[in-house]
Amino acid sequence: MQPFVYDALPARVVFGSGTLAQLKAEAERLGVCRALVLSTPGRGEEQAYEVAAQLGDLSVGIHAGAVMHTPVEATEQALQVVKELRAGAVVAIGGGSTIGLGKAIALRTDLPQIVIPTTYAGSEMTPIFGETKGGVKITQRTLKVLPEVVIYDVDLTMGLPASIATTSGMNAMAHAVEALYARDRNPVISLMAEEGIRSLAGALPRIPEDPHDPTARSDALYGAWLCGTCLGAVGMALHHKLCHVLGGTFNLPHAETHTIVLPHAVAYNAPAAPEAMERIARALRAADAAQGLFELAGRLGAKQALRDIGMPEDSIEQAVKATLAAPYWNPRPLEEAALRSLLTRAWNGDPPQA
Ligand code: NAD
């Protein structure tokens, strides 16, 4: 056994079907009153009304102003609402965008957060906070943004369209995949990572087949919780760096970018992380980790080429340079030619190759 440091993060997780009904009791347990409900506009706002109704007299209102990648302008507007309504807590319902807004408020005010995730992105389990200022996304790690309570209600994920559920699930899996070869990996998080991949790999193909299958949705949400815990606990590597560069520079959609890049990043790292590859392949029930991920994405009907989600071909070079300019630690050293080939394959939608 390799030496390791295991740093457990505080978390209270309520998981199940119909768990939204426990929201008021959880808010009372935390001692919060005057809770402001946060969401994205549109469909998210409808769910926010449901949440506010559950909170009853503990709710002071709804702010449906969350925006992808947490621009500071959106945070400033929300802070104004917090001030006007004298909010004493935030309740975020939605995906990573809404959870990001809750974290932005908590960072600046120390207000407690209750989070009700409706996608599989995993932000709710992490002390990581990213925000965009002047078009540049900056990420920091601080316990100030870690939510006090996370309520996973499978019922709220039933309406997540299959196309979003599947790519969001692949995004979650990416956290667990990189946790298995992280520099600071440890046996507890590796157990969660393997179980998270196994649960998602089993559940995701069942969602497009039958979007109303509660077991598939429950298994996927359980896997997403485990994968989010991995993201919060250990460092990420090349795959997350590439997605950060591609999302930030070319404004590519978050979950789809993860889905396309993951098999290629895994193939790149395969020679340097054989034990992780064995565990990923075992969890996928596949002969090879990278090929298994590529085939899973194909089976899910996900887009498999960066060119199909809006990346211009002549920007591959820019992405290679940006990745090398500020690299994350990676099990295999970053080699310019191999990175160019990785991104070219991902751009074309070719199968992964080490
Ligand atoms: P998102 O929150 O933007 O949601 C994606 C889409 O799904 C939105 O249109 C949303 O309205 C819709 N949606 C969400 N739940 C739904 C439901 N139940 N039914 C129908 N539609 C629903 O995207 P995301 O992928 O969840 O999160 C991406 C963002 O989160 C990015 O900005 C990313 O950087 C951030 N993120 C942060 C961390 C972290 O640890 N800080 C971790 C993961 C992701």
Side-chain angles (χ1 to χ4, degrees), residues 286-341:
D288 175 79
Q291 196 57 36
L293 288 164
F294 187 74
E295 280 167 14
L296 176 61
R299 204 173 144 204
L300 297 174
K303 289 188 178 145
Q304 295 199 275
L306 290 171
R307 68 172 166 202
D308 292 341
I309 60 165
M311 181 174 171
E313 186 174 14
D314 58 8
S315 56
I316 291 176
E317 210 44 47
Q318 192 186 344
V320 171
K321 295 266 176 307
T323 304
L324 290 169
Y328 293 179
W329 177 87
N330 194 58
R332 176 178 163 193
L334 299 194
E335 295 154 27
E336 190 171 335
L339 273 186
R340 190 173 297 113
S341 145

Side-chain angles (χ1 to χ4, degrees), residues 40-41 43-44 47 67-70 94-98 103 118-124 126-130 137 156-161 164 168 171 175 231 254-255:
T40 47
R43 164 90 182 106
Q47 289 186 322
V67 179
M68 183 87 130
H69 301 308
T70 331
S97 300
T98 310
K103 286 179 163 182
T118 60
T119 71
Y120 307 137
S123 177
E124 66 281 0
T126 82
I128 304 165
F129 172 62
K137 191 163 180 178
L156 297 174
T157 66
M158 297 297 291
L160 191 62
I164 300 182
S168 188
N171 174 196
H175 311 327
L231 176 68
H254 182 81

Side-chain angles (χ1 to χ4, degrees), residues 21 42 49 80 89 91 94-95 108 116 161 163 199 210 272 275 277 335 338 342 345 352 354:
Y49 277 100
Q80 194 58 34
V91 176
R108 291 160 171 90
I116 308 159
S163 60
S199 195
D210 178 7
E275 199 189 314
M277 295 303 137
E335 295 154 27
L342 181 168
R345 297 190 79 78

Side-chain angles (χ1 to χ4, degrees), residues 17 33 35 74 78-79 108 148 161 190 197 222 256 278 304 334 351:
S17 167
C33 54
L79 284 168
R108 291 160 171 90
E148 276 69 9
S190 294
I197 297 169
Y222 163 66
E256 285 93 333
E278 206 183 303
Q304 295 199 275
L334 299 194

